[in-house]
Amino acid sequence: MNYPASLVGRDFLCLLDYTPEEIGALIDLAAHFKALKKDRVPHNTLTGRNVALIFEKTSTRTRCSFEVAAHDLGMSTTYLDPKASQIGQKETIADTARVLAGMYDGIEYRGFGQEIVEELAKYSKVPVWNGLTNEYHPTQILADFLTIREHLGRLAGVNFVYMGDARYNMGNSLMIGCAKMGLNFTACAPKAYFPDAALIAKCEAIAAETGATLRFEEDPAKAVAGADVIYTDVWVSMGEPVEVWEERIRELSPYQVNADLMAMTGKDSTVFMHCLPAYHNLDTGVGREMGAKFNRDAMEVTDEVFESPASIVFDEAENRMHTIKAVMAATLGWQG
């Protein structure tokens, strides 16, 4: 499987750094790896390599994806949880980068500000991969786009609607990804929850070259009319104080993805996506606590939609592993 030589040795920090052709190549490589995995064809030509996984924010999908993907490629991993690393506490980010780069062939970071992963990359001589920051979540978007292509057969021209708080990593990264790959992106939320104006301007310039369109809509009915994909995320992100729940529920409840909203698309083929975890019922500790406090049985998406045939969230979750594998393989010069 061929991929552009421009990917070898690169950091993967934000999709703004990658061309549409490079993003497409990563998605193609992920599809190739998925087929190899399903057919049980070994592809462990990076045997002997080692990667460090820094997790200042915990995760199920990201950690498992990096660990399984690295193992499939023949690599070993070291997981550094919030208590196992001195990054930013007893050791500077620059020093951490130089220490780890001397021992490992690649470094993943999942945590807080984008400036942290960018500083790691600045001082590392090996590729650094963004597993999530407050501002961007590029590996998730690759998984989302592979999933969309599998179910809809295309990316360009797909009508994509993001419901809810679009100011942070998912709203930002989905808008960038749609602009790069020619999807028609709509963010639907109160105006205060739209992405940063400067980032919107960057994406509008990209969209002008790719044929994508960007819309920002406060009316859910107008936003979802004709939608091929409806996407949402939790209303309160990891690390935010519990006090914000009341405000978010009050302001974002009209943007919940439910059966009525899905019907407003006017299409039976519309799919539902979510990066997970999702508060679609009361079967989690946080779900029960906030559900009881605010008298709700679901938050950003109802269980009816989440468990419906329209929901492709678990295909999306699986594809995290295949697309993360593609990122590591391409940047480390995998040959197969």
Side-chain angles (χ1 to χ4, degrees):
M1 176 70 186
N2 295 321
Y3 51 85
S6 62
L7 298 176
V8 179
R10 294 269 295 279
D11 301 313
F12 190 73
L13 308 181
C14 176
L15 290 181
L16 286 171
D17 303 330
Y18 279 70
T19 67
E21 293 74 24
E22 289 170 335
I23 295 169
L26 288 170
I27 295 171
D28 288 343
L29 183 58
H32 176 65
F33 279 135
K34 186 171 185 176
L36 293 179
K37 181 85 169 177
K38 298 300 182 186
D39 292 338
R40 300 189 180 276
V41 177
H43 41 284
N44 55 341
T45 62
L46 293 179
T47 298
R49 306 281 189 98
N50 297 280
V51 296
L53 308 177
I54 303 172
F55 278 71
E56 292 194 302
K57 288 184 179 180
T58 57
S59 169
T60 298
R61 280 151 301 283
T62 303
R63 177 180 178 178
C64 292
S65 295
F66 270 99
E67 289 190 342
V68 174
H71 181 270
D72 284 353
L73 293 169
M75 299 191 293
S76 297
T77 62
T78 299
Y79 176 75
L80 300 171
D81 67 22
K83 296 180 180 179
S85 168
Q86 301 295 344
I87 185 170
Q89 300 298 323
K90 295 182 179 180
E91 187 167 59
T92 67
I93 296 166
D95 289 354
T96 299
R98 289 177 285 195
V99 167
L100 294 180
M103 301 178 185
Y104 293 92
D105 299 284
I107 302 168
E108 179 271 351
Y109 173 82
R110 177 183 172 93
F112 296 95
Q114 180 72 10
E115 69 276 4
I116 298 174
V117 74
E118 290 181 355
E119 189 168 2
L120 281 170
K122 178 180 177 180
Y123 289 97
S124 171
K125 63 184 179 182
V126 301
V128 173
W129 309 300
N130 180 0
L132 174 142
T133 62
N134 294 339
E135 293 86 356
Y136 301 114
H137 198 0
T139 60
Q140 179 67 52
I141 277 56
L142 293 182
D144 296 337
F145 284 8
L146 174 60
T147 309
I148 291 170
R149 197 175 74 174
E150 288 173 341
H151 283 268
L152 302 184
R154 71 193 195 284
L155 290 175
V158 165
N159 295 321
F160 185 103
V161 180
Y162 180 84
M163 302 292 299
D165 192 345
R167 298 171 297 174
Y168 301 120
N169 47 37
M170 285 309 303
N172 290 343
S173 295
L174 285 167
M175 179 173 65
I176 295 167
C178 287
K180 289 275 186 176
M181 303 308 288
L183 290 78
N184 300 317
F185 175 83
T186 299
C188 183
K191 189 173 295 185
Y193 290 83
F194 290 166
D196 176 72
L199 182 60
I200 290 174
K202 287 183 181 180
C203 290
E204 287 177 334
I206 295 167
E209 297 179 359
T210 65
T213 62
L214 305 181
R215 289 197 306 151
F216 304 91
E217 179 59 68
E218 295 185 80
D219 184 338
K222 291 180 181 178
V224 303
D228 297 304
V229 178
I230 293 181
Y231 198 116
T232 194
D233 190 11
V234 293
W235 290 339
V236 178
S237 298
M238 185 183 302
E240 292 192 279
V242 69
E243 291 77 21
V244 305
W245 274 98
E246 183 175 4
E247 172 190 294
R248 299 286 170 78
I249 289 172
R250 181 180 66 251
E251 296 184 355
L252 295 177
S253 289
Y255 302 90
Q256 181 190 65
V257 181
N258 51 43
D260 288 342
L261 185 82
M262 295 294 287
M264 291 177 190
T265 67
K267 292 184 174 183
D268 295 331
S269 58
T270 304
V271 296
F272 168 74
M273 302 181 73
H274 194 303
C275 55
L276 300 182
Y279 295 120
H280 58 99
N281 57 27
L282 302 179
D283 293 345
T284 64
V286 174
R288 282 190 296 273
E289 178 186 355
M290 295 304 160
K293 184 174 182 178
F294 297 104
N295 192 31
R296 299 181 63 89
D297 58 8
M299 295 295 175
E300 73 277 6
V301 57
T302 62
D303 200 53
E304 181 181 12
V305 171
F306 188 87
E307 297 291 355
S308 73
S311 176
I312 57 174
V313 297
F314 295 109
D315 292 342
E316 185 183 358
E318 177 193 336
N319 282 339
R320 289 298 307 285
M321 188 267 288
H322 303 300
T323 46
I324 282 171
K325 186 184 296 183
V327 170
M328 290 195 294
T331 56
L332 293 177
W334 175 87
Q335 297 295 320

